[in-house]
Amino acid sequence: QVQLVDSGGGVVQPGRSLRLSCAASGFTFSNYDMQWVRQAPGKGPEWVATIWYDGSQKYYADSVKGRFTISRDNSKKILYLQMNSLRGEDTAVYYCARTRNFFDYWGQGTLVTVSS
Amino acid sequence: EIVMTQSPATLSVSPGERATLSCRASQSVGINLAWYQQKPGQAPRLLVYGASTRATDIPARFSGSGSGTEFTLTISSLQSVDFAVYYCQQYNDWSYTFGGGTKVDIK
């Protein structure tokens, strides 16, 4: 069955960096575009970044452009999100999601807290 | 950016009753609209895509309709497991915007 396992979250000071990972199994990872979506406490989900199935195209929300980088390793079936220059407003649960335009499978999420 | 507006913010319904949730887009998204259910501490779960196609293993009591800018999710007879927050999402452009959610709680 399709499984996505998010990891790498934690408490980090403003201005520091963190890298999130999403391990995929149960499907042909290299055939699917993938997303990162975040959800701040008490808020709705917010799209963060998209990467095409082959890594050739990447798209970012304006709120993270220039600070976050999405990447993938299709040989290891892992999706990454490198987050630099973190801010308080980046505090959220971060989910990876498989994409068929809509998001059909989601990871369990990993909490990122940006606080001094 | 396409803005998605959901109403009402909270819907109080008795088990067995029908629930109707609305979602409006600031510009046409065709039928590129999905609905998700989220329970506390869990990831969102896909219910409907293409405005009206139920996702795998989603019960028939969930139905979606609409196109363009106006969409509806109907739960025909609410069961206890259906009390949750529901989000609509457009995927007509790369912003993939979500609505603010409708919380369905027990009346």
Side-chain angles (χ1 to χ4, degrees), chain B residues 39-51:
Chain B
K39 297 180 179 180
Q42 297 184 16
R45 173 195 180 199
L46 177 68
L47 296 177
V48 169
Y49 62 92

Side-chain angles (χ1 to χ4, degrees), chain B residues 8-104:
Chain B
T10 303
L11 187 61
S12 297
V13 185
S14 300
E17 288 188 342
R18 181 187 197 92
T20 302
L21 289 65
S22 296
C23 175
R24 174 176 292 178
S26 61
Q27 63 190 76
S28 178
V29 298
I31 59 168
N32 296 315
L33 190 285
W35 289 93
Y36 301 86
Q37 177 194 67
Q38 188 176 34
K39 297 180 179 180
Q42 297 184 16
R45 173 195 180 199
L46 177 68
L47 296 177
V48 169
Y49 62 92
S52 63
T53 303
R54 275 190 304 277
T56 303
D57 295 331
I58 300 304
R61 64 181 181 272
F62 292 92
S63 63
S65 63
S67 65
T69 61
E70 301 284 342
F71 301 90
T72 300
L73 177 71
T74 301
I75 312 171
S76 60
S77 178
L78 268 157
Q79 299 189 7
S80 58
V81 294
D82 300 333
F83 292 98
V85 179
Y86 292 82
Y87 295 100
C88 62
Q89 179 212 20
Q90 65 81 19
Y91 50 93
N92 195 57
D93 74 11
W94 286 105
S95 63
Y96 291 114
T97 43
F98 290 83
T102 292
K103 181 178 181 181
V104 178

